[in-house]
Amino acid sequence: MSESSQSRAPSWLQRILYGLANLGLFAAGAVNLAVGSLSAARSDVAAAATSLTAGLVLVLAATIDRFESLKGFGIEAKTRKLDQKIEQADEALRKLRQLAEITGETLVDLHSKMGRWDSAPRPRESYELAQRIRSTMQAMGSEAATISKALRPWAKTHCHDLVRTFTDPMHSFTSERIRALDQLRSALPKPLSPNDPEFMRLTAEINLGHAYLERLEKVHQFELDDYPARFLALLDDVPYRTSEELAPIRSKASAFADDMTELRHSMSLPNAEKWIRELDLWRAGGH
């Protein structure tokens, strides 16, 4: 039983008084019904009508809690579901208050951080906020589709950040390799012929690297439904790397890809701590 329902529970004295009041009303009603019946037998119509009406009203008042809805003699009573509705309303208000607290906290936090490059929420903060919102919306009876829609931006951002733990190092490695190739090309004996085999080879390798950088820089365009397929595709046709060098990277990516699939479908993260550790390491190294 909730704290609010306990506070509304009547004490033993109130229950005794309630019972005595009902008993008194019933006794009075029974007397009036008896008097009315006798008056009717004596053909005293006025007294019979008055007594029978009063008796019926008193008896019904004594047993009114048996009825969900009672209309008659100018009386309307709804009692059976009243306590239940009050308790449901109290619970709904409590959940609305929680949601308002979360919303207010988030808005204040976002407004306070606006314009500060290093102020993005920490991975654990983001995850815990998403779980609080999910829990509150579920408790308030929100449909699964509505909850998923609310959490999609968080899931997309989480996937995007995780992918960057892979693409940022690959971007740096590729850029360094392009600079090294460009230095080799610049060091070729002059004058250069456009058909020089070494010049053409170096140019082709440099262009290959630039094309791959363009692929990496499109990660911000990924939608949630693009994960993990487009993420894993970034590990295909990687320049300047051997299959042996890529094997551990692809193995690690595959493990996170399974989590991305689950996150996309259920908006839940099966290995949250692993993600948080990975994202914290990336932030520590990249920021």
Side-chain angles (χ1 to χ4, degrees):
M1 182 181 296
S2 66
E3 183 178 348
S4 59
S5 62
Q6 286 179 343
S7 64
R8 291 194 303 273
S11 66
W12 64 270
L13 180 58
Q14 289 174 319
R15 289 196 295 270
I16 290 175
L17 291 175
Y18 179 74
L20 290 175
N22 282 345
L23 183 60
L25 288 170
F26 180 79
V31 170
N32 275 274
L33 288 174
V35 172
S37 298
L38 289 174
S39 297
R42 296 172 182 170
S43 301
D44 187 350
V45 177
T50 302
S51 297
L52 288 173
T53 300
L56 287 172
V57 170
L58 290 169
V59 169
L60 289 173
T63 58
I64 198 171
D65 57 344
R66 295 175 56 243
F67 300 92
E68 177 183 347
S69 180
L70 173 65
K71 294 185 180 180
F73 309 108
I75 302 172
E76 180 176 359
K78 290 183 177 290
T79 60
R80 182 175 296 177
K81 294 185 178 180
L82 184 58
D83 285 344
Q84 179 183 359
K85 294 299 182 182
I86 291 175
E87 186 170 350
Q88 290 175 351
D90 285 346
E91 184 67 12
L93 286 174
R94 188 173 69 85
K95 295 301 181 182
L96 283 172
R97 184 171 61 250
Q98 289 180 352
L99 188 59
E101 290 170 355
I102 294 172
T103 303
E105 176 185 339
T106 304
L107 289 175
V108 170
D109 187 56
L110 289 175
H111 187 270
S112 300
K113 293 176 176 178
M114 198 175 296
R116 293 168 172 81
W117 290 102
D118 60 347
S119 57
R122 306 295 300 182
R124 187 173 300 280
E125 294 174 348
S126 177
Y127 174 76
E128 290 177 351
L129 176 61
Q131 301 318 301
R132 288 173 61 194
I133 292 173
R134 178 205 303 279
S135 177
T136 300
M137 294 183 72
Q138 286 176 338
M140 293 181 66
S142 298
E143 296 182 356
T146 302
I147 297 174
S148 294
K149 182 179 179 181
L151 294 178
R152 279 183 73 87
W154 161 75
K156 176 184 174 182
T157 300
H158 232 50
C159 287
H160 172 268
D161 289 349
L162 194 283
V163 169
R164 286 194 59 187
T165 67
F166 288 82
T167 59
D168 281 7
M170 296 178 75
H171 193 286
S172 297
F173 175 85
T174 304
S175 298
E176 291 174 3
R177 182 62 177 164
I178 289 173
R179 285 193 292 270
L181 291 170
D182 193 52
Q183 289 177 355
L184 290 175
R185 187 175 61 177
S186 299
L188 291 175
K190 307 296 189 295
L192 284 173
S193 169
N195 297 323
D196 182 87
E198 185 63 8
F199 176 82
M200 294 176 64
R201 183 187 71 81
L202 291 172
T203 299
E205 288 197 29
I206 291 171
N207 290 340
L208 196 64
H210 282 300
Y212 186 65
L213 289 182
E214 290 181 6
R215 290 172 59 192
L216 295 180
E217 290 165 358
K218 291 181 179 179
V219 170
H220 71 279
Q221 299 176 358
F222 290 6
E223 296 297 333
L224 181 59
D225 292 336
D226 292 329
Y227 296 101
R230 290 187 69 178
F231 164 46
L232 296 177
L234 293 175
L235 302 181
D236 296 330
D237 303 320
V238 180
Y240 318 142
R241 300 268 192 157
T242 65
S243 298
E244 291 75 15
E245 290 172 333
L246 287 173
I249 300 176
R250 286 173 174 157
S251 176
K252 182 179 179 181
S254 296
F256 282 109
D258 292 338
D259 288 351
M260 288 179 182
T261 301
E262 178 65 24
L263 180 58
R264 193 181 76 220
H265 290 307
S266 67
M267 296 297 141
S268 61
L269 205 52
N271 296 292
E273 288 300 324
K274 183 174 73 172
W275 279 58
I276 291 171
R277 284 195 301 271
E278 192 72 18
L279 291 172
D280 280 341
L281 286 173
W282 166 67
R283 287 173 63 105
H287 299 274

